[in-house]
Amino acid sequence: MAQTTFEEISAADFFYRNRDIAGFTNPSRAIFAAVRELVENSLDAAESLKTPPDVYVRLSYEGEASAETQIYRLRVEDNGIGIPPRHIPSAFGQVLFGSKYKLKQQRGTFGLGGKMAILYGQITTHQPAYITSSTEMSKIYMYKLMIDIQRNRPLILDRKVLINKEQWRGTIVEFSLEGDYFRAMPKLLDYFKQTAMVNPYANLTFVDPKGRLYRFTRVTKEMPVPPKETKPHPYGVDVELLQRLIQITPSKNMLEFLKNHFHRVGEITAHKFLEFSNLSLSKNPKKLTHEEIVRLMHMLKKYKDFLPPDASCLSPLGEDLLKAGILKELKPEFVVVHQRKPATYAGHPFIVEFGLAYGGEIPKRGNFIVYRFANRIPLLYDEASDVSVRVITAMNWRRYRVNPDMPIAILVHICSTKVPYKTVGKEFIAGRPEVRREIANGLREVARQIQHFMSKREHVDRERKRLGVFSKYLPKIAQFSTRLAGKQKPPDIEKLLTSVKKYGAEETEK
Amino acid sequence: MAQKKQRSSILERKKEVLESLSGLGGKIYDQLDNGTFPSITMPSRSTENIYYDPQVRQFILGDRKVKRSARNIRHVKPFAQLTWAALFSNELTSQCKTSTLRDVYYSAQAYEMTFKDQQESNNIVTDLETILGFSREDFSIFPEERSAIFGDLTIEYTVPGYEGRTMNLTSHPDGVMIGPALTSSEFVKTTADKVIAVEKGGLFTRFIEESVHKKFNSLLVLTAGQAPRATRHFIRRLNAELNLPVYIFTDGDPWGMHIAMVIISGSANAAHLRELNTPDAKWSGVWATDIVNYKLPTDPLDEVDMKRLYELQKDPRYKEDPLWQREIKTFMKIRKKAEQEAFSRYGLTYIVDEYLPAKLEETK
């Protein structure tokens, strides 16, 4: 019988062994994932200060690594909130250390992103990472560090403190990694463009290894309302959560318990619910038996009159910003946007936003161009499996006088405290019925709007064409008949032309 | 010998054409000047409005009218095209220039007028014919020339540079092309007492070689298949102005028969026009009965030929003279056809020496 040895591995070690999970599958994905994780950290860092983000990314060539891969140096600078000096080593040198474990919409969710990139850099190049940060205090802190993978601890190799004369605030991360930029390039550029689309208030700059500059300039300083932390919604609880809440609650009766720990439950709702579920107001929650807790969970799910979760824990872009972003990056002839009301799946609130852009610089591809976003992150892989794409494909667009041969781009943005990704790779969204329904309804709404636009435009076009025909040919009839009749002065046809125009104006009246 | 006619028909007609063109211009101009959208009413050319009139012995248009109004979005462009076509015709005619339908299509572009295709510009020219009652040849718009004439007829040109010059139509042994210069010329004199029209160039040449014009004292016309409208009008003038009877020889099949019929009674396509037919012309052969009587070598009539015969049987033009119905029935019975060249089985000159005199006598 073979002997099995059990050993505990550190979180860093786990991800070192399973780096595919975090998206570092191959040299080209690795470049993409590293840039993406750091950019998203930077955007979050600026947004948490309500400062329009300025993010600068530089990727420079350092040398050959193998026949197919190269060593690059990645530098990402932001104007974000900065990291207090004592947290810097852990924030970048310890996997699963982070501030992202609360219930509100966030870009990342693992607390992995930046660290995973640095970890990947370290294991491919054995070079330390350089972190510079300031919280706008008088000092700037620079750390040179590596990760002790087995112990999941940062190793500080060097530390410098500089005087912050210019009151700089932000974070700079710089490290080397192995990758394949030229394979990654198309996706990376898509990533920047799409990120710019849903962050129209951000300045993004990217300098690639050939020294090419890509700049995405903000068109607004308006920013979406930042998300608030929130209590769990009654529909989203499970027995485990109920038990934890009961353990920590200071409430002495069920009425207080419901009011204190659940989202959108107030005095009246709590009363009505307790009546509905035949529970006594004064019952001490700590005295609930296991069976009663299970029953409570079922009743919570069964009760129809809880208010839906409000959007305060979510930070959708909003229709105006969405429109601004689409106009800025896609330069369409026309765009419609629509934000659905908050909905829930399994108690998790979510909001879906839609944009549909037509014409202008949008190319005709023989198929709709679909841009997918989750919590303001572009999803660039596994498009065909995504619920949005499936709904778009299944929809009867002809009803809306729209067909895939038209130059149309569709944008779907899902924000949620828990985006229903299908896989750990977080590249596509699962087809949960609630989500699917919201997407379908939202698409119908933008489709109706575009249909309205198309038929109006068709009408205006027809009218313009009609007027064009008269103003082209009436003068010719006048000119030819004058010559044919041997007259000198052409007849005055202004009145006739005006009469056609007036008629036309009435017709185009909205 | 027919004497030179009054110098009238050609110049008179030209004057009339120019007057009606500028009259149309004036009508449109006045409507515009009064602040109204100009409109024109003309007979409908749809098939339901085409009738055969036994009185004039040709197809005519009925009472149905169509109105073209510049007020109508669908009409304003054709209206402009029509006005342009009238102006263009006016300029051509007054400058004594000629042109073709193809030319018209391209010339429009010089006036920033466009036609979608040749068919569209042809239709506009036909509209103009319908409105004014003149054929496009009168507006100096000619088809490709392919028919010819030979015989002792002296004509006097009216085309610029040749005004007053005369020519005898025997001067070239291949015949003289019936083109704009010839159709616009005046007849001066002739010794001929009849016109013989033939369908095919081979027979036309044979007739000249065999001096049919002398032997039968005739003018020879080559229709080259279905006779162009200018040629039909020309044959009519030979008949009307010089009082020459016209005899038509075609192949012995439904198509040849119809070539003769169009010369005699005109076509449905030209129902809006007059003076293209020669009602007194005679179809002299080759008849179906000739095929039997002369024991000509034949080909069988195929399905298309038979179908054509059934169509012609119902055609009102073929009900005028019992000859037609008799010949159609004979064709159907023998189910055979013969070309004019078939007479060559009796020797090259048989057709001239034997057949022709017999048929001229028979159809006199």
Side-chain angles (χ1 to χ4, degrees):
Chain A
M1 195 176 176
Q3 228 183 351
T4 315
T5 53
F6 294 94
E7 57 175 324
E8 194 180 344
I9 60 168
S10 78
D13 207 4
F14 174 78
F15 283 105
Y16 168 63
R17 295 178 191 198
N18 298 286
R19 51 188 178 269
D20 291 7
I21 292 178
F24 292 78
T25 330
N26 58 48
S28 93
R29 280 292 280 271
I31 288 270
F32 172 74
V35 169
R36 170 182 154 167
E37 297 295 353
L38 291 174
V39 167
E40 276 151 20
N41 282 350
S42 292
L43 291 171
D44 277 344
E47 279 176 33
S48 62
L49 262 186
K50 299 182 184 171
T51 305
D54 276 308
V55 182
Y56 171 86
V57 181
R58 193 182 68 205
L59 198 61
S60 35
Y61 174 75
E62 296 231 294
E64 293 292 319
S66 71
E68 301 204 331
T69 58
Q70 297 81 39
I71 306 287
Y72 296 99
R73 193 158 187 82
L74 173 62
R75 180 184 170 97
V76 178
E77 285 181 38
D78 66 52
N79 62 340
I81 193 165
I83 302 162
R86 61 195 170 88
H87 287 319
I88 292 177
S90 298
F92 288 93
Q94 186 177 359
V95 175
L96 292 173
F97 176 93
S99 55
K100 294 183 175 176
Y101 295 97
K102 288 167 195 160
L103 211 52
K104 67 173 181 181
Q105 178 190 327
Q106 304 260 7
R107 284 198 172 84
T109 31
F110 287 153
L112 260 187
K115 278 146 289 197
M116 198 60 220
I118 287 170
L119 181 66
Y120 179 83
Q122 179 177 322
I123 62 180
T124 53
T125 67
H126 308 290
Q127 298 289 315
Y130 298 83
I131 317 296
T132 309
S133 189
S134 171
T135 53
E136 214 176 357
M137 308 295 274
S138 55
K139 305 231 167 66
I140 296 173
Y141 297 86
M142 288 180 67
Y143 281 82
K144 176 179 174 185
L145 45 87
M146 292 184 84
I147 300 172
D148 178 340
I149 294 173
Q150 284 188 345
R151 291 174 49 235
N152 191 20
R153 286 282 176 275
L155 292 174
I156 299 166
L157 305 181
D158 194 11
R159 179 178 187 268
K160 279 189 194 134
V161 182
L162 308 173
I163 306 297
N164 192 3
K165 270 188 231 155
E166 295 176 11
Q167 297 215 310
W168 174 73
R169 190 200 65 231
T171 303
I172 302 170
V173 180
E174 188 166 352
F175 64 99
S176 299
L177 78 167
E178 194 182 305
D180 182 349
Y181 172 70
F182 287 96
R183 281 250 179 88
M185 185 168 81
K187 281 277 191 246
L188 208 49
L189 296 181
D190 274 355
Y191 169 76
F192 278 110
K193 183 186 173 77
Q194 295 190 28
T195 302
M197 205 186 299
V198 288
N199 295 276
Y201 46 83
N203 276 339
L204 300 177
T205 308
F206 172 50
V207 180
D208 87 349
K210 292 265 183 203
R212 285 177 288 219
L213 171 79
Y214 299 91
R215 217 179 134 66
F216 302 86
T217 311
R218 71 170 62 94
V219 288
T220 174
K221 290 201 168 181
E222 291 294 313
M223 293 175 64
V225 182
K228 292 193 186 107
E229 286 184 37
T230 183
K231 294 177 277 190
H233 192 273
Y235 291 144
V237 300
D238 53 26
V239 176
E240 177 63 27
L241 183 66
L242 279 175
Q243 274 171 340
R244 284 189 199 185
L245 291 171
I246 289 165
Q247 261 170 33
I248 58 156
T249 187
S251 312
K252 294 281 183 269
N253 61 54
M254 283 308 291
L255 186 67
E256 289 302 313
F257 176 72
L258 289 169
K259 275 166 60 184
N260 285 340
H261 297 285
F262 293 95
H263 184 48
R264 312 274 338 240
V265 179
E267 184 84 23
I268 297 168
T269 310
H271 268 289
K272 283 188 178 161
F273 171 73
L274 288 169
E275 201 174 305
F276 167 78
S277 54
N278 251 330
L279 277 165
S280 156
L281 293 184
S282 53
K283 174 128 189 152
N284 185 338
K286 293 201 192 285
K287 298 247 168 83
L288 288 170
T289 65
H290 184 69
E291 285 70 32
E292 282 173 319
I293 293 173
V294 173
R295 184 170 170 275
L296 174 63
M297 182 201 74
H298 285 305
M299 295 315 276
L300 284 170
K301 287 201 194 297
K302 227 169 160 182
Y303 184 63
K304 289 283 173 277
D305 293 334
F306 287 122
L307 295 168
D310 71 24
S312 62
C313 61
L314 299 179
S315 175
L317 205 50
E319 295 183 346
D320 292 346
L321 284 177
L322 196 59
K323 198 173 207 167
I326 292 173
L327 287 173
K328 155 175 131 79
E329 289 304 323
L330 299 180
K331 300 188 174 56
E333 182 191 333
F334 182 73
V335 60
V336 293
V337 290
H338 175 59
Q339 187 186 76
R340 296 292 297 167
K341 291 209 171 63
T344 54
Y345 78 93
H348 304 288
F350 70 98
I351 289 177
V352 196
E353 298 177 292
F354 301 87
L356 196 156
Y358 172 88
E361 291 185 11
I362 294 173
K364 280 186 193 173
R365 291 255 178 88
N367 224 328
F368 299 129
I369 300 166
V370 181
Y371 296 106
R372 301 171 293 133
F373 299 88
N375 288 354
R376 271 181 257 158
I377 301 175
L379 305 179
L380 297 177
Y381 290 92
D382 298 323
E383 178 177 282
S385 317
D386 191 278
V387 58
S388 307
V389 174
R390 282 161 180 257
V391 175
I392 287 168
T393 312
M395 198 159 131
N396 180 9
W397 289 93
R398 258 176 314 178
R399 268 187 58 185
Y400 303 97
R401 292 186 179 194
V402 167
N403 69 64
D405 290 330
M406 294 176 169
I408 283 179
I410 300 171
L411 182 152
V412 182
H413 177 208
I414 297 186
C415 23
S416 177
T417 47
K418 189 175 187 315
V419 175
Y421 291 111
K422 187 80 177 260
T423 61
V424 272
K426 296 193 171 182
E427 288 300 350
F428 66 95
I429 293 178
R432 302 200 61 120
E434 302 89 339
V435 177
R436 181 186 291 274
R437 193 172 54 236
E438 280 300 298
I439 291 175
N441 286 338
L443 284 172
R444 283 188 201 111
E445 175 58 31
V446 285
R448 269 191 292 275
Q449 288 185 42
I450 199 79
Q451 176 189 20
H452 185 66
F453 159 76
M454 299 288 256
S455 62
K456 208 164 82 185
R457 202 183 65 147
E458 218 169 81
H459 185 75
V460 170
D461 267 7
R462 214 173 26 234
E463 204 42 44
R464 192 183 303 131
K465 223 178 256 170
R466 203 180 71 86
L467 288 180
V469 170
F470 280 111
S471 49
K472 178 170 178 193
Y473 290 110
L474 276 182
K476 288 195 182 292
I477 295 173
Q479 177 202 338
F480 297 149
S481 66
T482 307
R483 280 169 66 181
L484 190 54
K487 307 267 185 186
Q488 297 304 313
K489 193 174 78 62
D492 181 15
I493 54 165
E494 276 314 306
K495 215 178 78 189
L496 290 178
L497 281 174
T498 329
S499 79
V500 186
K501 271 173 198 151
K502 249 188 207 154
Y503 173 61
E506 276 158 21
E507 275 193 351
T508 48
E509 208 89 290
K510 283 155 210 158
Chain B
M1 186 193 284
Q3 276 306 303
K4 180 180 166 178
K5 278 196 67 187
Q6 288 273 303
R7 292 206 55 169
S8 67
S9 84
I10 290 300
L11 290 178
E12 276 295 317
R13 193 168 174 97
K14 186 170 160 178
K15 212 176 128 209
E16 273 176 52
V17 168
L18 285 173
E19 274 170 6
S20 75
L21 283 168
S22 62
L24 177 67
K27 205 175 135 195
I28 297 168
Y29 179 93
D30 290 343
Q31 292 181 79
L32 282 170
D33 207 33
N34 289 336
T36 56
F37 285 94
S39 65
I40 294 172
T41 307
M42 63 175 135
S44 162
R45 290 195 307 277
S46 76
T47 43
E48 305 90 76
N49 199 39
I50 296 177
Y51 301 96
Y52 184 75
D53 183 345
Q55 213 95 56
V56 288
R57 294 159 77 182
Q58 72 157 77
F59 281 109
I60 57 159
L61 297 178
D63 295 333
R64 276 219 252 160
K65 305 278 183 206
V66 289
K67 190 177 169 189
R68 284 282 159 74
S69 168
R71 178 73 188 83
N72 185 319
I73 179 73
R74 282 194 304 278
H75 290 176
V76 63
K77 182 181 177 189
F79 200 103
Q81 290 170 330
L82 181 77
T83 317
W84 171 78
L87 175 64
F88 183 67
S89 303
N90 190 54
E91 288 179 352
L92 280 178
T93 311
S94 56
Q95 292 164 19
C96 298
K97 296 244 166 64
T98 66
S99 145
T100 62
L101 286 173
R102 197 70 188 147
D103 257 347
V104 170
Y105 174 65
Y106 285 117
S107 303
Q109 293 172 15
Y111 294 76
E112 286 173 14
M113 286 300 299
T114 49
F115 287 103
K116 193 169 77 235
D117 48 30
Q118 182 70 57
Q119 187 57 42
E120 192 179 50
S121 80
N122 292 359
N123 281 342
I124 291 295
V125 172
T126 311
D127 278 350
L128 193 61
E129 290 180 330
T130 312
I131 292 164
L132 300 181
F134 290 102
S135 71
R136 61 174 178 258
E137 288 81 4
D138 291 316
F139 309 135
S140 314
I141 299 166
F142 286 86
E144 296 286 325
E145 331 299 350
R146 50 197 164 83
S147 54
I149 183 166
F150 183 88
D152 179 29
L153 169 64
T154 303
I155 54 105
E156 183 183 321
Y157 289 110
T158 65
V159 288
Y162 287 81
E163 297 102 328
R165 276 168 70 170
T166 59
M167 186 182 74
N168 187 276
L169 299 183
T170 50
S171 49
H172 187 72
D174 285 341
V176 179
M177 194 168 77
I178 305 180
L182 186 58
T183 48
S184 66
S185 56
E186 303 280 2
F187 300 149
V188 181
K189 62 178 183 190
T190 181
T191 56
D193 58 17
K194 65 177 80 60
V195 177
I196 298 173
V198 296
E199 176 186 346
K200 283 182 167 165
L203 196 63
F204 181 67
T205 310
R206 166 81 37 80
F207 278 16
I208 296 171
E209 284 166 4
E210 296 300 324
S211 296
V212 169
H213 54 289
K214 279 191 194 140
K215 287 178 187 159
F216 297 93
N217 203 20
S218 65
L219 300 175
L220 303 176
V221 173
L222 168 66
T223 68
Q226 195 60 262
R229 289 176 5 174
T231 306
R232 277 145 61 191
H233 181 62
F234 194 74
I235 292 172
R236 182 189 171 92
R237 281 182 62 206
L238 292 174
N239 176 253
E241 293 180 23
L242 300 176
N243 292 315
L244 303 180
V246 178
Y247 302 92
I248 307 162
F249 285 91
T250 67
D251 281 344
D253 60 30
W255 315 97
M257 183 163 68
H258 198 63
I259 287 170
M261 178 55 83
V262 169
I263 293 171
I264 297 167
S265 291
S267 64
N269 282 340
H272 58 291
L273 296 173
R274 297 288 178 275
E275 301 190 4
L276 292 181
N277 60 335
T278 310
D280 292 327
K282 295 285 191 292
W283 180 40
S284 304
V286 175
W287 296 349
T289 45
D290 293 343
I291 296 176
V292 180
N293 295 342
Y294 290 83
K295 299 187 174 61
L296 294 176
T298 57
D299 288 318
L301 288 173
D302 61 24
E303 297 236 333
V304 188
D305 296 330
M306 289 304 288
K307 195 169 157 269
R308 185 68 181 147
L309 279 173
Y310 284 113
E311 281 169 17
L312 296 183
Q313 197 174 27
K314 293 188 203 96
D315 190 308
R317 290 169 289 183
Y318 284 83
K319 290 175 177 160
E320 283 288 290
D321 185 336
L323 165 76
W324 300 109
Q325 293 296 329
R326 186 190 81 208
E327 291 305 320
I328 289 172
K329 284 201 185 94
T330 312
F331 271 125
M332 286 174 170
K333 202 171 84 199
I334 63 174
R335 283 182 163 267
K336 286 189 168 72
K337 59 185 175 187
E339 293 182 285
Q340 293 174 320
E341 290 87 339
F343 287 98
S344 301
R345 76 171 292 187
Y346 301 116
L348 290 180
T349 59
Y350 179 85
I351 188 167
V352 175
D353 298 339
E354 301 292 334
Y355 181 70
L356 191 57
K359 294 300 284 188
L360 286 176
E361 188 55 37
E362 187 177 355
T363 51
K364 209 169 188 174

